[in-house]
Amino acid sequence: MEILIKNLDNLIIGHIHVQLAITSIFVVLLSRDSPNCLHMKYSGVLRKKEGFAGQRSIVLPRKILADSCVNNPMIKWLYITDIGYYPKAQYHFRQRAHGSDQHILIYCVEGKGSAQVMKKKYEIGPGSFILIPAGEQHNYSASADDSWTIYWVHFKGSASERLIRTLLEKINAHRGAVDFQARRLDLFEEMYTCLERGYGSDNLCYANVCLYHYVSSFIYPDKFGLTKNKPEDNAVELSIDFMQQNLSRTLTLGDIAASVNFSASHYSAFFRKKTGYAPIEYFNHLKVQKACQYLLYTELRIKEIADKLGIEDPYYFSRMFRKLMGLSPNEYRSKKHS
């Protein structure tokens, strides 16, 4: 009886070992032959690179990039290599131990996820984006409880390094956040739809010119959409609005600062930090910009233009105009009309 029980135990253990071995072989083959299929671990974690319901993605052929982008004088500075949209990307996971050949920008509009870049971990949620420079070790994944919806783009180009540095300096990390604006997603759709229609020269040029605008919307979110959204909480933008509405007046620093409830000294320092110019100097730039329009589109004399801009001395106006434009008002009008 004892011998029978021992043999039965050995049979059961042997069966379990065989089952485990078969499962291991299946997982290895699945991972090797179908890299986009589910990757299983005995811990129960499911992971996949792609294959999500409703997903869209385009990988530009490397021959197209080499022949039509790398040396194209219009788009060689910045061009798309891969682009896609993953909605509710359950089990999404990517890991690149040696980084990617391209820069990667991932924008999350719904759900949650996380990313690790050069061993620093970031939590990602709606409105967040993660920037991964080329060559930097990273991984990212969707949350198991609330899978993210992401728009992503891979890009290269001779100007891309500078753009990446600028964005990293702005957000002071690999992760940033922006307010939702439908226009940003419209730009993404413009790029995607254009490339989806083929790789003709016009399609490539238009999509990649849009890429500049799309990336810029993350670098300068306070500037993006100014024509539609009044920046009520932005003192600099409000004060510029005030300047534009009062080009016919002679404003002092105190007048402009008071329009946004700042002290003159605090406002001056804050404005210069944001724009690179002193407020009055910036105001004069706006006056000259308006003067250029008068010179081009009206028959007003120089003295009349100066009056319209709140400048009593036409000679002072001419000196100010020349200093910025490199030409006198009359020379500017003559050159443009010719």
Side-chain angles (χ1 to χ4, degrees):
M1 189 67 171
E2 285 181 11
I3 293 172
L4 182 61
I5 291 170
K6 267 187 181 179
N7 287 338
L8 185 59
D9 286 344
N10 288 336
L11 281 171
I12 292 170
I13 291 168
H15 177 72
I16 290 170
H17 285 167
V18 168
Q19 287 291 92
L20 288 174
I22 291 171
T23 302
S24 298
I25 291 168
F26 173 75
V27 170
V28 168
L29 289 174
L30 185 64
S31 174
R32 185 181 64 193
D33 296 336
S34 304
N36 296 326
C37 292
L38 294 178
H39 292 264
M40 281 187 280
K41 288 191 172 183
Y42 291 119
S43 63
V45 177
L46 300 176
R47 295 174 169 177
K48 60 181 180 178
K49 296 178 181 178
E50 56 183 37
F52 312 104
Q55 79 164 49
R56 294 178 292 149
S57 64
I58 296 172
V59 178
L60 275 77
R62 275 20 187 183
K63 179 171 173 42
I64 295 294
L65 295 175
D67 292 349
S68 304
C69 296
V70 174
N71 295 312
N72 185 320
M74 187 170 175
I75 59 175
K76 66 180 180 179
W77 314 104
L78 190 72
Y79 56 87
I80 298 162
T81 64
D82 313 72
I83 187 171
Y85 163 71
Y86 289 170
K88 294 289 186 183
Q90 191 175 26
Y91 309 128
H92 185 211
F93 176 82
R94 287 304 303 260
Q95 181 170 6
R96 299 181 180 91
H98 303 290
S100 169
D101 290 338
Q102 311 92 28
H103 307 298
I104 304 171
L105 177 61
I106 300 172
Y107 175 40
C108 176
V109 295
E110 187 180 355
K112 297 176 183 176
S114 62
Q116 184 170 300
V117 184
M118 299 301 286
K119 300 185 178 179
K120 186 167 184 179
K121 189 169 183 180
Y122 303 93
E123 297 301 320
I124 310 296
S128 301
F129 64 89
I130 190 79
L131 178 68
I132 305 172
E136 293 198 359
Q137 179 189 53
H138 65 271
N139 64 69
Y140 48 83
S141 60
S143 165
D145 303 322
D146 186 11
S147 300
W148 62 15
T149 293
I150 56 172
Y151 293 80
W152 54 267
V153 61
H154 293 217
F155 57 93
K156 299 179 77 171
S158 52
S160 62
E161 292 286 347
R162 181 60 223 165
L163 280 174
I164 289 293
R165 285 200 302 272
T166 301
L167 183 47
L168 289 174
E169 288 167 6
K170 286 275 185 181
I171 60 180
N172 199 30
H174 291 88
R175 175 197 173 279
V178 292
D179 293 334
F180 177 82
Q181 289 202 43
R183 288 183 64 220
R184 183 177 286 109
L185 300 188
D186 289 343
L187 269 175
F188 183 93
E189 291 299 333
E190 289 275 305
M191 295 187 293
Y192 189 93
T193 302
C194 206
L195 293 174
E196 195 175 36
R197 295 178 68 83
Y199 307 123
S201 177
D202 286 356
N203 286 354
L204 287 172
C205 287
Y206 181 74
N208 286 301
V209 168
C210 285
L211 178 62
Y212 270 101
H213 196 183
Y214 183 72
V215 174
S216 295
S217 79
F218 295 94
I219 301 176
Y220 308 107
D222 57 327
K223 307 298 179 192
F224 185 66
L226 278 182
T227 54
K228 290 189 177 180
N229 300 297
K230 208 66 175 174
E232 295 180 355
D233 296 324
N234 190 318
V236 169
E237 298 300 338
L238 280 175
S239 64
I240 291 173
D241 286 346
F242 179 74
M243 293 179 197
Q244 288 177 324
Q245 292 160 12
N246 290 277
L247 290 176
S248 62
R249 295 176 56 194
T250 302
L251 297 178
T252 66
L253 175 60
D255 293 331
I256 302 171
S259 74
V260 288
N261 300 313
F262 274 46
S263 69
S265 58
H266 183 197
Y267 170 75
S268 182
F270 181 70
F271 189 94
R272 185 184 285 276
K273 182 179 179 182
K274 286 286 187 178
T275 67
Y277 296 97
I280 296 300
E281 184 181 8
Y282 198 96
F283 185 43
N284 286 336
H285 288 180
L286 296 179
K287 284 179 180 281
V288 170
Q289 183 185 79
K290 188 67 176 176
C292 289
Q293 295 170 8
Y294 285 135
L295 289 165
L296 289 176
Y297 306 121
T298 76
E299 299 298 324
L300 292 172
R301 294 177 298 168
I302 304 304
K303 184 179 186 310
E304 292 172 322
I305 294 174
D307 286 340
K308 280 188 168 291
L309 296 172
I311 301 172
E312 294 181 2
D313 184 350
Y315 297 105
Y316 171 77
F317 165 70
S318 293
R319 289 196 300 273
M320 182 176 78
F321 189 96
R322 181 186 285 276
K323 182 177 180 182
L324 187 61
M325 301 302 297
L327 298 168
S328 73
N330 281 325
E331 289 169 340
Y332 179 85
R333 174 177 268 166
S334 299
K335 184 174 182 180
K336 292 299 179 180
H337 284 169
S338 65

